Amino acid sequence: MDRVHSRPFDKRVVIDMNSRFQPISDDDKVVSELSNFLGTMARRCVALTYVSWRHVPKSLKDTMWSYVKVHTDFK
């Protein structure tokens, strides 16, 4: 996922969301890339000592979300 992490701001991929805030696209590659990107973020940023997502500090979640928004454009 280095190509996503190194993608310039003006080359962000547009991701549409449905009414349940799930990513949708005519191109399955876009949704798959988003899934892989979020997976690498979780592995790189969240320690294995957290037993569930609810236990991850809000500040870390906010930082990760800010980073995701820099590399993707949600509509």
Side-chain angles (χ1 to χ4, degrees), residues 6-25:
S6 62
R7 183 179 291 151
F9 185 78
D10 61 335
K11 303 285 186 197
R12 294 180 301 164
V13 174
V14 176
I15 309 239
D16 293 319
M17 306 294 266
N18 66 14
S19 61
R20 297 175 69 186
F21 299 104
Q22 297 167 326
I24 56 172
S25 176

Side-chain angles (χ1 to χ4, degrees), residues 7-69:
R7 183 179 291 151
F9 185 78
D10 61 335
K11 303 285 186 197
R12 294 180 301 164
V13 174
V14 176
I15 309 239
D16 293 319
M17 306 294 266
N18 66 14
S19 61
R20 297 175 69 186
F21 299 104
Q22 297 167 326
I24 56 172
S25 176
D26 293 335
D27 183 2
D28 290 337
K29 185 179 177 184
V30 172
V31 176
S32 177
E33 184 178 79
L34 174 65
S35 177
N36 291 330
F37 173 63
L38 295 176
T40 61
M41 287 285 302
R43 284 188 297 280
R44 289 180 179 183
C45 300
V46 180
L48 292 175
T49 55
Y50 297 112
V51 294
S52 78
W53 186 248
R54 292 184 311 246
H55 293 104
V56 176
K58 184 174 178 350
S59 60
L60 178 55
K61 290 178 188 178
D62 290 342
T63 300
M64 290 173 63
W65 181 239
S66 295
Y67 185 82
V68 168
K69 290 192 300 185

